[in-house]
Structure formats: C-alpha cells, structure tokens
Amino acid sequence: MVSETTATMTEPVIQMENLNVYYGSTLAVRDVNINIPYNQVMAFIGPSGCGKSTVLRCLNRMNDLIPSARVEGKVTYHGRDIYSSDVDAVDLRRRVGMVFQKPNPFPKSIYENIAFGARINGYQGDMDELVEDSLRKAAIWDEVKDQLKKSGLALSGGQQQRLCIARAIALQPDVILMDEPCSALDPISTLRVEELINQLKDQYTIVIVTHNMQQASRVSDYTAFFNAEATEQGGKQGFLVECDTTKTIFNNPREKSTQEYVSGRFG
Amino acid sequence: MNADSNLSQVADALWKPNRGLNNFVQRAVVITFAMFALISIATTFGIVASLVFETFEFFTAVPIWRFLTDRQWTPLFTNAQYGIFVLLSGTFLTSLIAIVVAVPLGLFSAICLSEYASPNLRRWLKPALELLAGVPSVVFGYFALLLVTPFLRSMFPQIAGFNALSAGLVLGISITPLIASLSEDAIYAVPDSLRQGCYALGTTRRETITGVVLPAALSGIVASCILAISRAVGETMIVALAAGQNPTMTLNPFVPIMTMTAYIVQVSLGDTPAGSLAYKSIFAVGTSLFLLTLILNVFSFWFVRRFQEKYE
Ligand SMILES: Nc1ncnc2c1ncn2[C@@H]1O[C@H](COP(=O)(O)OP(=O)(O)OP(=O)(O)O)[C@@H](O)[C@H]1O
Ligand SMILES: [Mg+2]
C-alpha cells in the first residue's frame, strides 16, 4: 500500500484547478481540484449523477464531442493547460487513452482493432510486435493469439473489454482513463481486469470510475469522493468532497458523508 | 400450504380480465392478414407465370442462341433480328452513367447529413432529400430532354438530340436521394460508442468516418447502391424520353440508344397486335430485366448477410 510520504512526493501528471463543467447553462460539476499522481491508480467514487464521468471526460477532452458541454477552470497535463488553444485534442487523446463502460471493439479483426489506432497515429515500429505486446499487457494474448483474424465482436464481453484496454495500451499513452470498465462484466472477468490494472500501474497512470467500493479499495492508491446536492432550480450539482489516499478515505476520512458512503450507509 | 392457496383464490377473485371476444378477434386478424399476404404472393406468382409463359412462346419461335448472338434488335422489320445485347448495352450505358453520378453524390450527402450537419440542418435536409425522391420520373425525363440535353449540346455540339449521356445523368440525379437516404440510415445506425472509441484513440473526424464509421456501415451502403442500380436498370420514363428509341449496340454516350425498358414501352404503346412475335418479344425482354434485377437483389442479400455487423 502507499504510504503518506510517497503520496506527497509523487509529481502529478494531471492537475485540475477550480474545474467547473456546464451542460448548456446548468453547472453539472463545480470546483473540482484534484492532482493525479504519476503511475498511481486514482479511483473516482460517488453516487450516480454526481459527475464522475463528466470530470473524467474533461481529462482527455472527450467533452468536446458533446456540443452543449463547456469547461471552466484549468486542467494541466504535465504542466500544460490542455484547454489552451495551442493544444490539439486529437494529440492529447493519444497520450491520455480511454476505456469505456460498455466494451466497444471496432467491427474489425482483433489484430486490426489494435493496429488501427497505431497506424492512424503514424506508428513507425513493427506492427506485429506492437499488437502482440499490447495484447500481452492486456492479459488476453493467450486467448486470442491463434485467432487474430477473427472479428473483435466475436469475443465474450470480458475479452472485448480487455481488447479495448489493449487497444488503448497500443498507443503507448501515459494515462488511461477507465469509466466503470467492469460494470458490464461477470465477477471472473472483473477480477481479471482488476489484476490487469494492478500490473499496468507500473507503467501507466490510471484513473478509474467505479461504483464498487471493494474494487476501489482493491485497485486504487488514491480515491476521490464526489457527491451531489440539489440546486434551487431543482437539478443536481456535483462537487468533490475529498481526495486522499485510498487508505485514508476508507479508514478515517475527513468528511462524514465520505465515511457514510464508503461504509454503505449512504442515502 | 392451505392458507397459501386460500390467499391466491382470494387474489384471483380480484382479477377478471375481460377477454371474451379475444380469441375470436385473434383468429379473425390472423386470417385477414394471411389473405392480404396471399394476394401479394399470388400477384408475384401471376407475374412470373405470365412472363415465363409468353417468354417460352417467344423462344419456340426464336431460338435462344439467336437472342444471345444477333448483332441487331429489329423485331418490327421483315428480316427481324433479336439481339438482346443491343438493348442490354443501352441499359448498361445509362445505368453506368447514373451510378457514376449517384454513388459519389449520394454517399457524400449521406456523410454530410449524418456526420457533419447540425441536428437542426439535418431535420430540414433529410425531408428535402426525400421529397426529391418523390418527384415523378416523367418530370425528370422532360428535365433531361428540355434542359440537360440543350445544355450539353451547347458545350459539345456533336451530341445528338436524344442521347444516353443526358438520360444517364438525370437518371443518376433521380436515384441519388435513394442512395443518400438509405446510406444515411446505415451510417446513422452505427453505434455512437464506436465513434467515441475511435476519437479516444486520437483520431480526427475524417479518420473516424473513413476508418470506423463507413466500414461499419458498409453492408448498408452497398445494399443501398445495389438497390439504386436495380432502380436505374428498371427506370423507364427518363430513358424512354431522353435517350431515344434507337436500338444500337454501342457504349458511345452521345448517340441515341434504346434500353430494355424503352423497348417494352415502345411496343406496348404501339399498334403491335397481341400474340405477334414482336408482342411476345417484350416478355422475353421483360424476363431478362427480371433476371437482371433478381441477380442484383440476391447479390445484395448475400452481401448484407455476409458483412452485416451485429452489435448488442
Ligand atoms: N451529455 C449530457 N448532456 C447534458 N447533461 C449531461 C450529459 N451528460 C451528463 N449530464 C448531466 O451531468 C450530471 C453528471 O453526469 P455524469 O454522467 O458525469 O454522472 P456520473 O457520476 O458519471 O453518474 P453514473 O455513476 O450514473 O455514471 C448528471 O446530472 C447528468 O444529468
Ligand atoms: Mg458515469
């Protein structure tokens, strides 16, 4: 487990400062300040609708694709403001990869699912090697090595999700964002993906959204707890309650609401 | 146990669905619909049967090898010749020109509509496009004859007043909405999660469209193109009006030609007596046309089955 000292010493890869996200004119999440440390696993937890996915999508500017979404405040990646005009979102997304809640392999062969992104981003190395390496890192190589020509859609849900993780790894990103990557998977596949996350954190910084408290405590080093409160207009507004080492959040959090949420006495 | 069943009896007394007529209505509906289905099937069989019968009559008078090898199509002459490839070349030429126009136009409109247009624009453009599909083909025919042909002739004076080029171009415009609309449906049906997954790999919009969206929609796009080809092959009014009535074995788009459909119109509207060989020849041509579109449809069916992706 992570001790307090390493927690303060690791430099942040991504920093959010006073982040507000609007959908149209409604403020969906307000005033988020989080530092995501290098090569650690950060978990986002909190009740449904508190803005975990919204904040996650800010980190690789996937929110750009939602016409009504607007971001205020600052998000830096290795010290650079990713929302400044000289940062190309396409380039950013190659470095900050994403795995989605529902496995979404492309209707292409397993090989092509991996090679596609690398080729488009002008990868110059040996493609076969990259494909094998990515599939190995995603712990799915042994299951698919004899059927690389088969469609990615022909795999089981758990395999598809690991294929999607391999697809993200193939671009050699340094951050991987995962939005409830196990919510569509059975317990065995979930366990495999969790093991995988544990292996991957040597090389990658991982941010994972999860509804599963055990999962958060098993895989993450840091945990950010979000909550939502009703607004006068009748909507909900999300905010960050606290962010600390997972140990602290689960054992002696600062806020009472955190304590209640992680122990399941929430509502 | 006993108490339990008592409870359920009490509960049952509260539930009395009023379905007295239900079974009867159910039967009546099934029978009515079966009759309607039967009518359309019977009609199809009737058409095929009459085609086959008359075609058979025709081929007892004209051997099939002459049908396939004659170099001219002159059923109304005393020394009649029945080379189907003469008419086939006309159909092929106009359809080819139409496809060359319609596939790029239709596909680009579909991509623009589904991937680039704002939802508002899309709400206006799609019905407008479908309106274009509803324009009667005779209007397109006169459009070709009275506007496009004079325009083409002002640029290339050697073009005849009736020609395959003008008919083909307008035929292409007339089938563009079909390709655009059906391809747009296919592209729109590609799950958004695939686009998201692609963008998350660091791709531009163009790369996402060409790399993931279009391949995922391929079966639908190809099916729409094949449907449009069969429409072009079977289209009658435009080619009869603008391409001429002159059976010629040629691939020159500047001269008058005759398509299979135009021939059928010519004979049906003329004073050819029923039962004559010329009259029977339109059934032979009709059968050829039928086979052609059947092959196209079978191919399209096979292609869709083979390449359609199933997303959960
Ligand atoms: N595309 C969108 N357009 C408008 N509002 C949105 C959009 N996406 C999310 N929201 C709103 O933003 C708020 C936060 O949503 P978000 O999906 O980030 O929550 P979440 O914490 O990920 O919830 P869950 O745990 O259920 O996934 C919600 O109130 C939601 O209604
Ligand atoms: Mg979410």
Side-chain angles (χ1 to χ4, degrees), chain A residues 48-49 51-54 57 101 179-180 209 211:
Chain A
S48 189
K52 305 176 296 293
S53 303
T54 300
R57 281 199 303 264
Q101 178 169 0
D179 194 347
E180 300 182 43
V209 173
H211 275 285

Side-chain angles (χ1 to χ4, degrees), chain A residues 90 93 104-105 107-108 121 171, chain B residues 193-194 199-202 207 211 311:
Chain A
V90 171
R93 291 188 199 122
N104 56 353
K108 301 172 184 292
N121 283 289
L171 295 174
Chain B
S193 62
L194 285 188
Y199 281 122
L201 295 177
E207 287 160 351
Y311 311 98

Side-chain angles (χ1 to χ4, degrees), chain A residues 220-241:
Chain A
S220 71
D221 308 303
Y222 292 84
T223 299
F225 172 58
F226 291 80
N227 204 346
E229 61 190 10
T231 58
E232 280 128 43
Q233 291 86 357
K236 261 177 143 194
Q237 193 173 89
F239 59 95
L240 175 71
V241 176

